[in-house]
Amino acid sequence: QVQLVESGGGLVQPGGSLRLSCAASGSILLCRDMGWYRQAPGKERELVAGITNGGNTNYADSAKGRFTISRATNTVYLQMSSLKPEDTAVYYCNADCTDRGFRRNVRWGQGTQVTVSS
């Protein structure tokens, strides 16, 4: 089994920064794609940024130039800068990993609240 544990959310003023972390643990052989999604009240969950195990990244238009995704083996980070009130949402980590039994595990983190408000 693969588990994801997120940390780093909180309350920040507009223009501020936050760094989210998500660590995958368990009997992991490798994690391919990892990413961050967010869901605001009354809205659907949307991709914020993704990164492959080769380091290729992709970003939602709303995140380009402000957010940076990175990873270290099976931990993925999201550095968020110039935050806006519209970035307020629950942020979820997602990972597509293979365990040592060669089973595919697509997992979601528990979610972490990010609130941007003065």
Side-chain angles (χ1 to χ4, degrees):
Q1 282 282 4
V2 175
Q3 299 87 35
L4 301 182
V5 177
E6 304 174 16
S7 60
L11 173 64
V12 64
Q13 292 187 343
S17 300
L18 277 177
R19 188 189 196 214
L20 306 182
S21 300
C22 172
S25 63
S27 182
I28 298 172
L29 185 62
L30 66 89
C31 289
R32 289 174 294 278
D33 297 340
M34 301 185 79
W36 290 95
Y37 291 71
R38 68 186 182 188
Q39 188 167 18
K43 295 188 176 181
E44 293 188 353
R45 191 172 297 188
E46 62 177 3
L47 175 69
V48 177
I51 186 167
T52 68
N53 61 343
N56 294 318
T57 59
N58 64 290
Y59 295 91
D61 287 343
S62 59
K64 289 178 182 176
R66 300 189 300 124
F67 295 1
T68 301
I69 190 169
S70 61
R71 66 185 285 177
T73 311
N74 297 328
T75 300
V76 63
Y77 306 95
L78 186 67
Q79 178 68 46
M80 303 185 291
S81 303
S82 301
L83 283 160
K84 305 174 182 180
E86 50 263 45
D87 295 316
T88 296
V90 178
Y91 284 68
Y92 296 91
C93 172
N94 176 269
D96 184 351
C97 304
T98 298
D99 65 25
R100 295 190 181 277
F102 300 97
R103 290 176 292 265
R104 187 181 183 188
N105 292 251
V106 180
R107 296 286 183 263
W108 291 93
Q110 79 277 14
T112 185
Q113 177 70 47
V114 171
T115 302
V116 184
S117 175
S118 55

